[in-house]
Amino acid sequence: MVEVSGRQIRKFVAGNWKMHGLGSSIGEARAVAESLAAEPAAARVAIFPPATLIHRMAGELAGTAVEVGGQDIHAHAWGAYTGDICAEMLKDAGAQLVILGHSERRNTYGETNEVVSAKVDQARRAGLEPIICVGESRSQREHGRAIEVVRAQVKESAPLSIAGKPFSIAYEPIWAIGSGLTPTIPQIEEVHASIRKVLVERFGAAGNVVPILYGGSVKPDNAAEILAAREVGGALVGGASLSATDFLSIIRAAG
Ligand code: PGA
């Protein structure tokens, strides 16, 4: 639990499977759901499998403590976009949430804040709850620009249309993703505090209750410390979410 403006809010632990997982991997998600059924966790839990698994996983996990989301959507509602998937399609497949603006998409596909903002708006229209990812590169941090970059990303990627709607921000320093490196706790707290400030500037009191997740090499052995840091409302977990054992240990660390 994290206290925000006098309210207790559940921490949110989200597992991003990225381009990993076939039908057999659903067993890992099932194992997480079974463990949470036997021993409920304090945290909210969601898994974001590749799009091909969403429909099956949503069916198998219906009624369990594990929610299912997608990893991206197109910035337009419908159209001639071969190979792409729109918000309504993810929703129709059973997704409740969607990760948007992950650095792997910003960097590989040139997604700008403007594109991410359009995607967030599409998610809102379809009733999908977005997790909006932000985070600085190694060189931006080395040049002392981390706060400035992240502030601009939050401001420009979170449209005013989502004011009061459920969404989260995930702070994922690019240099920490998949690298085994993590920022220090004071560095995480500094960025999270600056994100909270932008959220309140932009959305007023509603900005106070938006969960701010940390992501980037969250593992069973560092999860408790990271999740206990000020303004850390949860974790976005990549590699360690692929194993039910590791993911559960992170979920349990969320208190
Ligand atoms: P990682 O990935 O936990 O493997 O570093 C995090 C992410 O990209 O969401």
Side-chain angles (χ1 to χ4, degrees):
M1 295 284 209
V2 59
E3 190 174 322
V4 177
S5 307
R7 291 170 52 184
Q8 293 292 326
I9 296 182
R10 290 161 83 203
K11 299 236 174 186
F12 185 13
V13 180
N16 174 11
W17 282 10
K18 308 190 180 184
M19 200 173 72
H20 299 289
L22 298 172
S24 54
S25 319
I26 296 176
E28 295 297 311
R30 206 181 300 120
V32 172
E34 281 165 8
S35 168
L36 297 181
E39 194 190 329
R44 178 184 181 194
V45 177
I47 295 180
F48 297 76
T52 49
L53 296 184
I54 289 174
H55 186 63
R56 281 165 70 185
M57 262 179 66
E60 290 216 26
L61 298 178
T64 74
V66 181
E67 297 172 70
V68 177
Q71 299 173 12
D72 183 43
I73 50 172
H74 197 274
H76 288 123
W78 302 102
Y81 301 104
T82 302
D84 279 315
I85 293 176
C86 68
E88 288 278 1
M89 291 170 183
L90 272 199
K91 181 80 181 171
D92 184 52
Q96 293 151 279
L97 301 116
V98 64
I99 295 171
L100 295 174
H102 191 282
S103 63
E104 285 154 15
R105 297 212 56 92
R106 288 180 185 264
N107 294 339
T108 313
Y109 300 97
E111 283 189 15
T112 58
N113 291 332
E114 195 184 356
V115 168
V116 176
S117 174
K119 291 184 175 198
V120 173
D121 202 48
Q122 289 300 334
R124 176 192 63 82
R125 286 166 192 264
L128 288 171
E129 179 182 332
I131 298 180
I132 306 168
C133 301
V134 297
E136 82 283 0
S137 66
R138 181 190 298 274
S139 109
Q140 287 165 333
R141 175 155 288 273
E142 283 169 0
H143 287 87
R145 297 188 49 224
I147 299 287
E148 166 203 336
V149 166
V150 169
R151 275 186 63 89
Q153 285 176 327
V154 174
K155 220 165 132 186
E156 293 165 26
S157 306
L160 290 172
S161 60
I162 48 158
K165 300 272 186 303
F167 72 98
S168 308
I169 300 289
Y171 167 54
E172 300 204 300
I174 298 169
W175 50 274
I177 294 175
S179 64
L181 303 171
T182 51
T184 63
I185 297 297
Q187 283 173 330
I188 294 175
E189 290 183 336
E190 183 191 23
V191 178
H192 280 230
S194 76
I195 293 173
R196 175 68 65 213
K197 208 155 160 268
V198 187
L199 288 170
V200 173
E201 282 164 17
R202 196 155 170 75
F203 298 108
N208 266 321
V209 293
V210 174
I212 306 170
L213 318 187
Y214 168 79
S217 296
V218 177
K219 306 284 177 210
D221 61 358
N222 61 17
E225 191 189 15
I226 291 173
L227 285 160
R230 239 174 311 135
E231 287 287 14
V232 173
L236 181 51
V237 184
S241 71
L242 293 167
S243 137
T245 312
D246 286 356
F247 194 46
L248 276 163
S249 127
I250 295 168
I251 293 165
R252 303 279 177 213

